[in-house]
Every structure is written in structure tokens, then in C-alpha cells.
Amino acid sequence: MSQVDYEIGKARPDQLPPGVPVITFDPYSDEVMSNPYPYYQELREAGPIVWMQKYGTYAVGSYGSVIRVLTDHESFCSSAGVGLTNFHTETPWRKPSIILEVDPPEHSRTRKVFSRILSPRSLNKLRERFEQEAHAMVSRLVSREVCDGVRDLAEAYPLKVFADAVGLPPDGREHLLPYGDMVFNAFGPQNDRFRECLARLGPSIAWITEVCQRENLSKGSFGAELYAAADAGEITHEEAGMLVRTMLSAGLDTTIFTLGNALVCFARHPHQWAIVRDNPAIARQAIEEVLRYDSTFHSYYRTATRPVTLDGVQLDKNQKILVLIASANRDSSHWSSADTFDVRRKPAANLAFGTGIHGCAGQMIARLEAEIVLKALASQVERLEALGEPELHFNNTVRGYSSLPLRLVAKDRKGK
Amino acid sequence: MPTIVYIEPDGQRKAIQVEAGANVMRTAVGNGVDGIVAECGGAAMCATCHVYVAEEGAELLPPVGEVENEMLESAAAERRDSSRLSCQLNVTSHIETLVVRIPDRQM
Ligand code: HEM
Ligand code: FES
């Protein structure tokens, strides 16, 4: 279908201010998603800000422009939704998130509670348990001839440790994945992918609503802490339940895809794996590089709160801007050899977790999980041998794999 | 143009002239100032950009924000009255010189 829907945005290409290059590719098409990076390069080369013809929005993909948008929340807000749908003019598919899709001062109220629970200090107590689980899981996989890196590790690990930390019951956790898939599809257009995903949701929403209730969350869990914050009057009890749900929608698919992307990167770049294996202290930095090189979260939107000039272009109020963080992470004006995967690279503020007041509130636990899994692999695994091509999972905003047939070749214990 | 003076953990001073509005953490990272890790890149989530603000200039900064206040509890070095997260500080045009001391550890 080549029909162009101008209703979503406001300006039309023929009415654009001078100097705005028009981009015609569809970032949500299978073709672009299969390998988006050459398209992102085209977009960055076209200009710091461009017009996405298919959806009637602006887009930024260079490092500097992305930072300018994300750090100016007064001009570029989140309360109109961080997806393509403009909540100020259209109806969202679900109630807007009370942390992701609100502006200050409301935002600080929920963010403060969320970030306290997921702060480095509170996470310290989880490290030991997370390490034990990672070692046990990796040992089991090493002893098998073949495994599926995505299902048996990238999915299994967060579904165990993260869901335990949130306080969920052990049974029924498979419902979490279709729900997360839906949430991330919904940041894009209501395309076939979105509709098929919605149709597949089935009983997942009911299950999730149930487990977010206070009585179903384990003692001492993040979920219990959210309800305690409600007892203390910082948020309401209803909001506590909504924030438990936020943890589940924002915190699983993202971490799972990141772990899967790491496995694919290291299976494809054995020399890079050797560096991590021989020097596990580098694991945390290596995860930053995985997130930079193949970012999990690709793009989301901001909306102009007033007429505003961005990189020389005058934007109208209510205009949506697509913010391509995955493109900024490959911008060669910021990164040297931007298209090279190099775990020795000094981490220099990659944008995989966004930045500014809405920068990921769960990033410290995501880093913790990924670092621990990588270290567990480094202590036991000589090489990661892919036994076939990984299968890409198509989602409108997050990028990752649904399957990776893998052999984890054990280190020779007597050898060294 | 305002100046930010960083006192690195080993006592070395680095003075950097900046445009009004410059961010104290980003300026440090961009100019190779030692001792600011800034793992979260400015999202007030990591507390590894902790600094102590010297008295002069401090009163011109906005007060510690609610989220910043939570996160300062995670700072590796001792929290003091002068503690701030440098990613939350922008140098406005009425600040001439801002002096920040960097603690000896961030993790
Ligand atoms: C590697 C894994 C992850 C990635 C790549 C990621 C990425 C992101 C990004 C890019 C944003 C910014 C959205 C925006 O500015 O509009 C964000 C926000 C957020 N993330 Fe994550 N995330 C990850 C893991 C997690 C985890 C584990 C949790 C929860 C425990 C979480 C909870 C949140 C929340 C609550 C927000 C909204 C924060 C706010 O609006 O103040 N994320 N994430
Ligand atoms: S850079 Fe992470 S808290 Fe400031």
C-alpha cells in the first residue's frame, strides 16, 4: 500500500520549511528492520533533522540532535505519548503510563519512588543471588550439546531473577512476553504487526493485572516496596499497582533482547569474546558496547510543546519528532569506527537507555543482570558457536532475536 | 563566558570556559576530567557523577531536586550538604565561576 497518511502529523512535505530533507523509507517495514543501520546513515547524512514522509513526523538521528531533544523536556514533552499516537489529539490504546508519559512536576513524584527502589544502593543486595542463578544456568547449558541461546538463557534468566525480584509467582510467567511485545509495538504505528500482536495477547492482560495486586507479590520485593511507598503516601495504591505493571512491561523484553543481542554479537565476533573471556573485568563495558552497537530500544517520540526551533528548523506546537537513539549510537561524528563492534572502546555516554529526565529508570538492574550473565559465561565458556542463523524478532521499537541455536563450548579446566 | 573549575581527586585543578547552559557532567566527560564516571549518562540513576560544590556559586544553583536527592543516597563517597549530582547541574549565564570538588571514588 502506498497510501500516505498525513493526518497523523501536521505539516505536509510540500509545506515544509526550506532545508528539511524528506525521507521516504518506512522505519517500521520488515526491510528496514532487517538491517536498519544503512538507512539510519542515509537519514543522518540527509541532515540533523528530517521529515518522515510516510508518517508525517520529523525525525532526528544524529548524536547531537538526539541529546538536544532528550535534554529539553520543556520544549519536547512526553505527555503527548512517546509513541506515534498523539494523546493530545488521538485516543491511546491503553491508559498512559504515569512515569513514562507524564511531564514534571507529576513525573518527579513517581520517578523518585521508582528510582529509589532500583538505585545502585538497593540493588546491592540482589547481586549474590543473581550471580548464583547465572552460574547454575550457564553450567546446565554448557553440559548440553546444543541449546537455544535466546530461549534457554536470554529469556530464562530475566524471567527467573527479574520476575523474582519484582515479586511474581513462579507460574504463568510466559504471559509476560506477549504483553511486553505489545507495549513496544504500540510505540509505532497501528500496522499489521501491531494488530496481530494485539490479537495474540489473549489471557496475558488478565494474568498481569492479577499478579500486580498487592496480595500476590512476595515479601521484600520491588512490588512490595511500591505498595509500601503508597502506604507512606508518596503515591496512591492504584498507582503502586500501575508501577508494578510498568516494571513488567519495561523491564523484561528489553533485558531479554539485550542478552540475546550480546550472544549474537559474541557468536559472530569470536575475537571479541576472547577479550571478555580472558578479562571478565571488562564485562560491564562490553555490555555498553553491545547496547551501542546493536541497541535494543531503537526509537520513540517527543512532541513539541510550543513553536520551537531545532537545528535551524521551525517546528509547530504538537508536532511529533521521532528520536532514533539507535542511530545516534552509530553516528560517526561522535564515535570513531562507529560500525565496528569493539568491547575495548571506552564507554562514552551511549544513548541506548535514552537520557534526560526520562532516561531509563531500570538501567542499573539491566546492567547488573547483563554483566553477571556475561561474567558467568566468561568463567565457563571458551567459545560460543552459532549452529545456524539467529532468528530476528520483528517489533516496532525494540530489536532482538527470538532464537539462536548455540553450542557453548566449555573451557578446558585442566588446560589453564 | 562562565568557567567551571574541577578539582580532581588528586588535587589537580582544571578550569574550563563554557557556554551558558553547559552541563557540569557533560563538560567534564567531554574534556577528560578525572573522577567523573557518569555511567547512566545523565539520567540521575547511577550516582557516579557525584561532586561537592564549593560555597561560591553554590547559592546560584537550583536546590537539590527530588529525584537527585534520592539518588545521592547511592553515592559511593560520603554525602555532605554540598553534595550534588553533576549531571543535574547546568551553568547559567549569571554564574561566573563554579568550583566543584570530585570525590575520590564514585563506585
Ligand atoms: C537493556 C534494557 C533496557 C533498555 C535498553 C531500556 C531502554 C529505555 C529507554 C531508551 C527509555 C527512555 C524512554 C523515553 O525517554 O521516553 C527507558 C525508560 C524507562 N525504562 Fe528502560 N530499558 C531497559 C530496561 C529497563 C528495566 C529493567 C526497567 C525496570 C525495572 C525499565 C524501566 C523503565 C522505566 C520505568 C522508564 C521510564 C522512565 C521515565 O520516564 O522516567 N527499563 N528505558
Ligand atoms: S550521570 Fe548518572 S547520576 Fe549523573
Side-chain angles (χ1 to χ4, degrees), chain A residues 111-112 116 121 284 355, chain B residues 39 41 43 45 66 70 74:
Chain A
R111 169 95 181 187
K112 160 181 98 185
R116 179 198 311 144
R121 179 188 226 187
R284 199 156 168 116
T355 190
Chain B
E39 187 172 37
M45 274 313 301
E66 283 180 277
E70 262 336 314
S74 282

Side-chain angles (χ1 to χ4, degrees), chain B residues 78-93:
Chain B
E78 180 198 3
R79 179 173 181 178
R80 302 186 192 147
D81 289 345
S82 60
S83 285
R84 298 297 304 251
L85 294 178
S86 59
C87 68
Q88 302 301 301
L89 302 178
N90 294 323
V91 183
T92 53
S93 55

